[in-house]
Amino acid sequence: MADHWQISFDHGHQQRYLPDRRSVLTYVLSIGPQAGSPRFEVFVEREPAARADGGPAGRAFARVGVIDLSRPGEMDRLRAELAELDGTGQPGARGDPS
């Protein structure tokens, strides 16, 4: 199953489906300052529940975290995580032994 991510924001009034964690971080960093709420709930697609006949019941998501831009340093933390995913100049990035 391919990873699919969902973010819910503006008090649950808006949601977006994104292909990966990198896309989630990029999206939150770009629209976060203009969003109606600083809180973004992050979900990842999981195996669907089974129907009584054994077939899949459709898409299902499990919450894996909350990004709250009102927390001090949260934007910097997101930028650092994104840089690590991109492998650019941060400790722990691909190819960096530290």
Side-chain angles (χ1 to χ4, degrees):
M1 172 174 60
D3 286 340
H4 293 283
W5 295 69
Q6 176 191 23
I7 57 173
S8 176
F9 58 103
D10 282 347
H11 307 287
H13 295 287
Q14 295 198 47
Q15 61 186 5
R16 298 291 183 274
Y17 294 92
L18 301 163
D20 53 32
R21 176 72 177 175
R22 184 188 182 293
S23 298
V24 168
L25 297 174
T26 300
Y27 190 83
V28 170
L29 286 168
S30 67
I31 65 108
Q34 295 84 30
S37 168
R39 182 182 166 96
F40 293 79
E41 293 185 86
V42 182
F43 301 84
V44 68
E45 191 167 15
R46 63 175 179 81
E47 293 293 325
R51 291 185 175 150
D53 66 2
R59 295 176 80 178
F61 288 84
R63 191 171 87 174
V64 294
V66 174
I67 297 172
D68 188 345
L69 298 179
S70 67
R71 283 185 263 191
E74 189 72 354
M75 294 287 279
D76 291 334
R77 186 190 70 75
L78 296 178
R79 285 186 196 101
E81 184 180 343
L82 183 59
E84 187 172 322
L85 289 172
D86 288 342
T88 56
Q90 293 293 320
R94 285 179 279 164
D96 185 344
S98 57

